[in-house]
Amino acid sequence: MDVFTDLESEVRSYCRSWPTVFDQAKGSRLHGEDGTAYLDFFAGAGALNYGHNHPHLKAALLEYIERDGVVHSLDMSTVAKRRFLERFDEVVLTPRGLDYKVQFPGPTGTNAVEAALKLARKVTGREHVLSFTNAFHGMTLGSLAVTGNSMKRGGAGVPLGHTSAMPYCGYMGDADSLDFLDRMIGDDGSGVDHPAAVIVETTQGEGGLQTASDLWLAGLAAICAEHGVLLIVDDVQMGCGRTGPFLSFERAGITPDIVCMSKSISGYGLPMALTLLRRELDVWDPGEHNGTFRGHNPAFVTGAAALDLWEDGTLELSIAAKAQTMSRRLSTIAGLHTDAGVQVRGRGLIQGLVFDDPDQAGAMCRAAYERGLLMETSGPSSEVAKLMPPITIDEAELDEGLDIVEQAAEAVLGTALTGTR
Ligand code: PMP
C-alpha cells in the first residue's frame, strides 16, 4: 500500500482513473515520475487552458517571486492586483463595453458562485433561485443546491433548498423549455416562488456537454429582464476561451447581471476566482463577504500575463480552427458507430463522444490512458467521453491526441477505423 491509498481519503478520484505519480508538466504534456509522457486532454478540468507552465506566464511569476513581491495580502491593494485589474479592464471589459465591477471571492469556482447567489438574494430581497437540469456549480451548500447531479447533492447531508431546477436547452426534446420557464416564473399559480436569479452555464461542462443555443440564451436573458430576475452566467469552465471567445456568452449578444469565473482566470493553475457584477448591483457592505484567500498575488501576476495572449485576436481564431478539426474527426468516428448511438456534443475545444452505454465512455477513457492520453467522462451517468485539451495546443499535438481517441474508440467499439485525419 502506498502513502496515497494509506493516508489520503477515499474521496480521491482522478488518481484512481490515472494510477501514475505525476511529476513534471510542460505545454500539453504531463510526465509521470517514471518518465512516461501523457498528452493532456483534461487540462486541469479547465484550469489549464494555456497548458502547463506557459513560458510567458512562468517568466512573469519567476520575476515576481525573485523580487520578493507580496504573496498574500487578503484584499489589500497591491501592485500585482492593480496590474491585473487594469489589464482585465483593457483587454476584457472595455473592448466589450462591459461595465462590471470585480469582486474577488475565495479562490475557487464554488466561491464565485456562492458570492453571486448571496448578492442576487441581497439585491432582490428574494430567496428563490432557478437553475437547470444537469447543471454543475460546485460543492459548497449554496452551489450544490443549484447543481443537478443526485450523487453530488446527496453528499450535502442536509436539505438543499430555495431553488428549483428548470429544463435546460434541449432537455424536453422539441418542446420549448423557455416557454415553460417563462410560465413558471410569470404564472402566480405555478408554485415556484418569484426568483432572485437564474443561474446558467452556456455549455454544461460536467453535466454532459449540452450546449445552449445563442437564441436560447438571448431568450433566457429577455425572460429574466421581463420578470426582474437577475441572470447569472457561470463561466467557471466555459470562460477564458474554452469555447472560443474569452467570455462564452459573448456570441449570444447577452450581458448577464453577474458572471462567475475561476479555473483558468489565473492562467497557470493557481487558485483564483472573480465574480463580475453590474455596477448598480454592488450593494455589498465592506467585509460582508470575505475570505482569507481573496486575491492571491502570484495568481494576479500570471492572470495579467495570460491576458496578453488575447490581445492580437490570433488565439481566438486558432481555437476556432482547432475546434473544427476536433469536430470533423469526432463526427467521422460517431458516423461509423451510429449503431452504438455514438454522437458528438460540445463546442469549441470542449467536445465529446456520447454513448448509449455509459460503460463504453469509461472504457474509452481507460483505453486512451493506456495509450498515453488523459481524458475524463462527463454527464449524469458518465456517458460522455470528454476532450478538453489546452486551447494553446498546436495542430500536430491535437492530431496526435485525436489519433489516440480514434484508436481508443476502435478498441472499445471493435471496428477498424480508416483514419479520420
Ligand atoms: N461551476 C462550473 C461550471 C464548474 O465546472 C465548476 C467545476 N467543475 C465549478 C463551478 C466549481 O469550481 P471549483 O471546483 O473550483 O469549486
Side-chain angles (χ1 to χ4, degrees):
M1 193 183 265
D2 59 32
V3 70
F4 305 110
T5 48
D6 182 35
L7 212 55
E8 192 179 350
S9 160
E10 292 305 313
V11 79
R12 66 195 190 278
S13 63
Y14 289 116
C15 54
R16 299 177 194 265
S17 312
W18 304 318
T20 294
V21 179
F22 295 98
D23 187 30
Q24 289 178 297
K26 186 92 192 135
S28 305
R29 280 180 219 270
L30 271 159
H31 298 266
E33 64 178 346
D34 65 357
T36 311
Y38 296 87
L39 251 182
D40 189 358
F41 274 30
F42 167 62
L48 292 163
N49 279 6
Y50 312 107
H52 299 266
N53 294 307
H54 190 289
H56 179 61
L57 280 60
K58 179 173 158 181
L61 181 61
L62 287 175
E63 192 266 335
Y64 190 73
I65 292 174
E66 186 59 38
R67 72 177 179 82
D68 288 331
V70 174
V71 171
H72 183 263
S73 54
L74 288 119
D75 68 357
M76 291 182 255
S77 297
T78 61
V79 168
K81 188 201 276 193
R82 180 170 59 208
R83 169 103 184 121
F84 175 80
L85 283 169
E86 285 171 355
R87 292 295 287 152
F88 192 74
D89 198 20
E90 275 163 22
V91 179
V92 178
L93 299 181
T94 299
R96 292 165 180 81
L98 295 170
D99 191 22
Y100 288 129
K101 289 193 78 180
V102 180
Q103 178 179 357
F104 298 109
T108 67
T110 200
N111 293 134
V113 171
E114 292 286 353
L117 296 174
K118 269 169 85 168
L119 184 70
R121 287 176 169 130
K122 178 168 185 188
V123 166
T124 60
R126 297 176 217 138
E127 282 177 5
H128 213 67
V129 172
L130 301 183
S131 57
F132 289 100
T133 48
N134 289 313
F136 186 99
H137 297 292
M139 290 296 99
T140 50
L141 293 180
S143 303
L144 259 187
V146 286
T147 290
N149 186 294
S150 61
M151 191 267 259
K152 306 281 192 225
R153 290 175 67 88
V158 293
L160 296 170
H162 315 293
T163 56
S164 303
M166 294 287 138
Y168 191 67
C169 182
Y171 188 77
M172 302 201 301
D174 290 337
D176 187 343
S177 54
L178 282 183
D179 189 41
F180 178 79
L181 176 83
D182 192 24
R183 291 183 59 184
M184 295 306 274
I185 299 179
D187 178 3
D188 285 337
S190 71
V192 172
D193 291 339
H194 197 59
V198 171
I199 182 164
V200 69
E201 297 154 271
T202 57
T203 292
Q204 298 184 316
E206 304 298 323
L209 305 192
Q210 290 86 354
T211 293
S213 69
D214 295 345
L215 206 62
W216 190 89
L217 287 171
L220 176 63
I223 291 170
C224 286
E226 186 190 327
H227 294 290
V229 172
L230 298 178
L231 178 62
I232 305 171
V233 169
D234 178 346
D235 231 11
V236 165
Q237 188 162 159
M238 294 308 132
C240 303
R242 179 46 61 192
T243 65
F246 188 83
L247 299 165
S248 74
F249 52 84
E250 283 175 42
R251 54 157 58 92
I254 62 170
T255 305
D257 298 294
I258 305 178
V259 181
C260 305
M261 306 196 77
S262 181
K263 292 203 190 263
S264 280
I265 192 69
S266 82
Y268 206 70
L270 296 174
M272 176 171 171
L274 306 180
T275 306
L276 307 176
L277 32 133
R278 268 201 300 114
R279 188 169 288 274
E280 312 85 87
L281 302 181
D282 195 8
V283 298
W284 289 118
D285 290 325
E288 186 180 3
H289 186 80
N290 67 13
T292 307
F293 289 99
R294 281 166 302 145
H296 185 226
N297 289 290
F300 287 145
V301 169
T302 55
L307 293 174
D308 297 344
L309 308 180
W310 287 93
E311 276 204 301
D312 66 1
T314 54
L315 179 58
E316 188 168 339
L317 290 175
S318 87
I319 297 167
K322 289 178 284 197
Q324 264 193 4
T325 304
M326 186 183 273
S327 155
R328 177 177 53 78
R329 294 195 59 185
L330 290 182
S331 298
T332 308
I333 297 173
L336 291 168
H337 294 288
T338 45
D339 51 324
V342 183
Q343 290 172 33
V344 183
R345 264 203 214 137
R347 161 183 268 179
L349 284 176
I350 176 158
Q351 299 186 39
L353 292 174
V354 190
F355 293 81
D356 275 350
D357 175 3
D359 289 348
Q360 290 186 324
M364 210 179 130
C365 292
R366 281 193 295 281
Y369 172 70
E370 284 158 15
R371 290 162 178 75
L373 179 83
L374 304 183
M375 57 189 276
E376 68 164 340
T377 59
S378 163
S381 313
S382 302
E383 72 280 15
V384 184
K386 167 176 163 184
L387 283 67
M388 189 161 60
I391 59 175
T392 49
I393 193 168
D394 64 37
E395 287 277 358
E397 286 174 323
L398 179 65
D399 265 325
E400 186 187 333
L402 287 166
D403 287 347
I404 298 178
V405 170
E406 186 177 299
Q407 290 154 19
E410 194 173 317
V412 170
L413 298 164
T415 315
L417 296 169
T418 47
T420 59
R421 274 201 191 205

